[in-house]
Amino acid sequence: MHGFANPKRFLSFARPLTPWLLALGLALAGGALFWGLTRVPAERLQGETVRILFLHVPAAWLGMAGWMTIAGASLAEIVWRHPLAAIAGRAAAVPGAFFTALCLVTGSLWGRPAWGTWWEWDGRLTSMLVLLFLYLGYIALSQATAREGASSRIPAIFGLFGVINVPVIHFSVTWWYSIHQPPSFSLGKSAMATAFQVPLLASTMGFTCLFAAVVLMRMRALLAETQAEARLRRRAREADGDAGQLREAGA
Amino acid sequence: MRETLDPWPFVIAAYAIGVIGTLVLVGWSWLAMRRAERRRDGAGR
């Protein structure tokens, strides 16, 4: 992992990987959503609303995967002082927050016709809303520490504490009574028909590629901003030094 | 008795929000990256 600590080495793989991930993600997610909207049959109990599954499940997975990325980056920052870890954590926060919000909105749009309600304060929905607030807190904290020049270990500690919520989200439907259905997939077993499984898998892979591409693009942007500021500061110092030498020569 | 709702407006709204939101996120990240890299290259070595 420390091999990628060098920004030059990171850019040498991030630059070619970004367009490939974008193209693959757009093709897979676009194809799966079109398939899900037009080709998949209506489900026996849920009818046409089951088509929201192809957006809702990848969004839920990426909301949780985004925080796991932040937690992994936070651990790398605190334990190994990996120089790109803080950038990776900051880069994953905005797409993670977006997919968490998308999961809540699509879930609400699914819940109204399926359950007869937009929102219910049950374990799964509430823990997902808590995850969105954790993201917003992490984004505010990391921006404030970057702006004030404070230690990036402060948001890293917050990122590690926040990971407690991820297993709570996952097990909420088994720990507490919930109107949300239990997981359709468990290790080696599936309660879902193949007609739904294939487009769901394609959609999840496609959105995961898009998430990875967005994280890489945001890492490149944050890295470039840091490098630009360092260069401008160095040039300003050099200009000050030249002006001082001219003044001494004039005197 | 629960009312029966037409599911299609909910499905279309979910797809519209998901697709437009994802495209905006990807486009915004791309533009931010290009702008930052241009600024870095403009700042010289």
Side-chain angles (χ1 to χ4, degrees):
Chain A
M1 198 168 70
H2 277 274
F4 298 114
N6 181 338
K8 237 182 194 168
R9 199 167 297 168
F10 163 74
L11 287 173
S12 71
F13 89 88
R15 277 194 184 121
L17 197 58
T18 308
W20 280 106
L21 282 171
L22 267 180
L24 189 65
L26 288 172
L28 271 174
L33 289 184
F34 181 76
W35 190 354
L37 198 59
T38 60
R39 296 274 184 269
V40 166
E43 205 258 346
R44 188 171 55 88
L45 292 173
Q46 305 220 19
E48 305 291 354
T49 51
V50 78
R51 299 178 199 284
I52 299 175
L53 173 87
F54 307 114
L55 267 168
H56 181 72
V57 171
W61 145 246
L62 289 170
M64 290 191 281
W67 198 276
M68 292 305 290
T69 309
I70 289 176
S74 301
L75 191 69
E77 161 121 35
I78 291 170
V79 178
W80 298 292
R81 295 175 185 261
H82 194 294
L84 285 178
I87 286 178
R90 280 184 70 190
V94 170
F98 166 75
F99 281 109
T100 305
L102 183 63
C103 170
L104 288 167
V105 170
T106 52
S108 194
L109 285 164
W110 196 351
R112 180 70 183 94
W115 302 330
T117 179
W118 295 102
W119 182 262
E120 201 60 48
W121 290 101
D122 91 339
R124 173 59 67 86
L125 278 67
T126 308
S127 54
M128 208 64 196
L129 184 65
V130 168
L131 181 66
L132 180 64
F133 291 145
L134 285 171
Y135 271 118
L136 298 179
Y138 181 87
I139 292 167
L141 196 58
S142 57
Q143 281 182 352
T145 49
R147 193 177 51 241
E148 303 297 327
S151 169
S152 57
R153 300 180 100 190
I154 299 166
I157 292 166
F158 183 80
L160 273 183
F161 271 110
V163 83
I164 296 165
N165 192 44
V166 175
V168 173
I169 295 170
H170 183 74
F171 292 109
S172 56
V173 285
T174 43
W175 287 346
W176 302 295
Y177 169 77
S178 175
I179 57 168
H180 195 284
Q181 67 175 67
S184 299
F185 292 99
S186 56
L187 283 175
K189 280 188 268 179
S190 168
M192 196 180 282
T194 317
F196 300 104
Q197 271 182 37
V198 178
L200 179 60
L201 188 67
S203 163
T204 306
M205 284 168 62
F207 277 105
T208 305
C209 287
L210 288 176
F211 179 89
V214 168
V215 171
L216 284 183
M217 288 191 286
R218 289 182 53 79
M219 282 184 77
R220 286 172 60 180
L222 289 167
L223 197 59
E225 277 166 19
T226 311
Q227 288 171 331
E229 274 165 33
R231 285 176 187 180
L232 289 171
R233 267 200 303 272
R234 197 173 59 220
R235 281 173 66 178
R237 267 200 312 272
E238 284 168 5
D240 279 353
D242 290 348
Q245 279 174 356
L246 280 173
R247 269 197 303 274
E248 279 172 21
Chain B
M1 198 178 79
R2 217 176 74 192
E3 58 189 318
T4 310
L5 294 169
D6 177 8
W8 280 106
F10 296 94
V11 175
I12 299 298
Y15 272 64
I17 292 168
V19 170
I20 294 169
T22 306
L23 290 177
V24 168
L25 176 73
V26 168
W28 174 50
S29 305
W30 176 264
L31 288 175
M33 178 191 74
R34 293 298 300 256
R35 203 169 36 235
E37 289 188 338
R38 261 204 307 271
R39 185 168 169 247
R40 178 196 56 200
D41 296 342
R45 293 217 155 258

